Amino acid sequence: MVIVIDGPAGAGKSTVAKLLAKKLDFAFMDTGAMYRALTVKAMRCQVKLDDAEALVALANKTHIDLVNESGRPLKVLLDGEDVSEAIRATDVTNNTFYIARTPGVRHVMVEWQQRMGERRSMVGDGRDLGTVVFPNADYKFFLDADFKVRCQRRIDELKAKGQAVDEEALARDLAERDHQDISRKVGPLKQASDAVRIDSTNMSIDETVEFMFNRIQQKK
Ligand code: C5P
């Protein structure tokens, strides 16, 4: 069974997807983490981020794995190395745009993700899962929230990790990322016509998970 949650940055997709996966005893597939991991490799290898051909060649010789271990955070492996922390750095977040806009790279990513979805039941989160990667997913959700709330959630998340936050810069980056995700030609952020839209502006994480869980139980 495949459940997908798409939506803009900061809507709470990953947190919700992780908890829902746990509740259902499914794997969690963080597709953003995969784009981020390839970004880390491109930056380390000093591949020009606007060289589409080089990025596709790099993707084709890269192995990205997502490891679900019960009771532990998702582990992101880049060619066997744990990059779960490295992929969250601000420069990686901002450079992921170059990787995500490259059609040939998306093609490779989509194939990896589809293969992962064939192996076991999972909850995936991303931008194009309901529209491109899993058009026949069993359940599709589109999770959104007001821009200000999404910014605040990101600020709280970083502060909880003890990181200093430039709130204005964060809001600018998030708005820019929304724009890039919506306007890219291949695999843009888009609600699938058969997805259930959830506005989590005034909902807690637990309420959102519960809402999704109940929808899944009703439709079963
Ligand atoms: O979800 P997260 O913020 O970690 O994703 C990082 C970036 O990866 C997003 O800004 C988006 O551009 C890209 N992405 C994508 N398609 C997905 C998941 C993420 O293009 N399915």
Side-chain angles (χ1 to χ4, degrees):
M1 190 186 284
V2 173
I3 297 167
V4 298
I5 307 173
D6 289 310
K13 299 183 302 295
S14 294
T15 311
V16 165
K18 206 179 309 168
L19 291 170
L20 187 64
K22 193 171 168 208
K23 214 168 152 87
L24 293 163
D25 195 23
F26 287 5
F28 163 46
M29 183 166 80
D30 181 346
T31 60
M34 300 171 73
Y35 285 93
R36 286 168 179 270
L38 189 61
T39 306
V40 168
K41 181 153 174 182
M43 288 167 70
R44 283 181 183 172
C45 297
Q46 298 185 342
V47 171
K48 284 215 179 85
L49 296 177
D50 57 1
D51 184 342
E53 225 171 281
L55 290 177
V56 175
L58 189 76
N60 277 316
K61 55 179 185 192
T62 299
H63 188 77
I64 295 171
D65 219 350
L66 301 177
V67 183
N68 282 268
E69 290 168 335
S70 88
R72 296 225 176 160
L74 183 77
K75 213 190 270 177
V76 184
L77 299 182
L78 172 64
D79 299 323
E81 178 195 341
D82 186 350
V83 291
S84 312
E85 289 285 320
I87 59 169
R88 304 290 160 196
T90 305
D91 54 349
V92 174
T93 301
N94 293 336
N95 281 337
T96 302
F97 149 70
Y98 293 99
I99 306 297
R101 73 167 182 180
T102 309
V105 171
R106 298 200 73 85
H107 186 76
V108 175
M109 288 282 177
V110 168
E111 275 191 357
W112 286 343
Q113 292 158 7
Q114 288 174 338
R115 239 178 283 145
M116 283 182 183
E118 279 165 14
R119 267 189 262 146
R120 60 169 296 190
S121 291
M122 47 142 248
V123 181
D125 87 287
R127 307 292 189 285
D128 60 342
L129 302 193
T131 50
V132 177
V133 188
F134 298 110
N136 299 318
D138 299 273
Y139 303 95
K140 297 181 185 179
F141 297 101
F142 190 88
L143 188 60
D144 205 350
D146 282 356
F147 180 73
K148 274 197 175 160
V149 169
R150 290 193 283 123
C151 285
Q152 194 56 50
R153 286 180 185 161
R154 270 289 141 94
I155 292 165
D156 294 346
E157 209 176 296
L158 293 171
K159 282 190 176 164
K161 284 190 204 159
Q163 291 183 23
V165 189
D166 177 341
E167 300 191 6
E168 269 181 32
L170 184 141
R172 260 197 321 271
D173 289 349
L174 201 70
E176 179 61 22
R177 230 152 41 98
D178 279 356
H179 172 70
Q180 289 160 350
D181 280 339
I182 290 165
S183 56
R184 109 180 122 238
K185 289 200 181 79
V186 179
L189 166 65
K190 196 175 163 205
Q191 181 178 343
S193 56
D194 52 348
V196 175
R197 187 183 191 90
I198 303 172
D199 182 344
S200 73
T201 303
N202 296 309
M203 287 166 86
S204 69
I205 288 162
D206 287 345
E207 281 168 344
T208 311
V209 174
E210 214 42 46
F211 178 88
M212 289 181 179
F213 186 75
N214 289 337
R215 283 300 286 240
I216 293 166
Q217 299 302 322
Q218 276 167 24
K219 244 182 103 180
K220 252 183 184 172

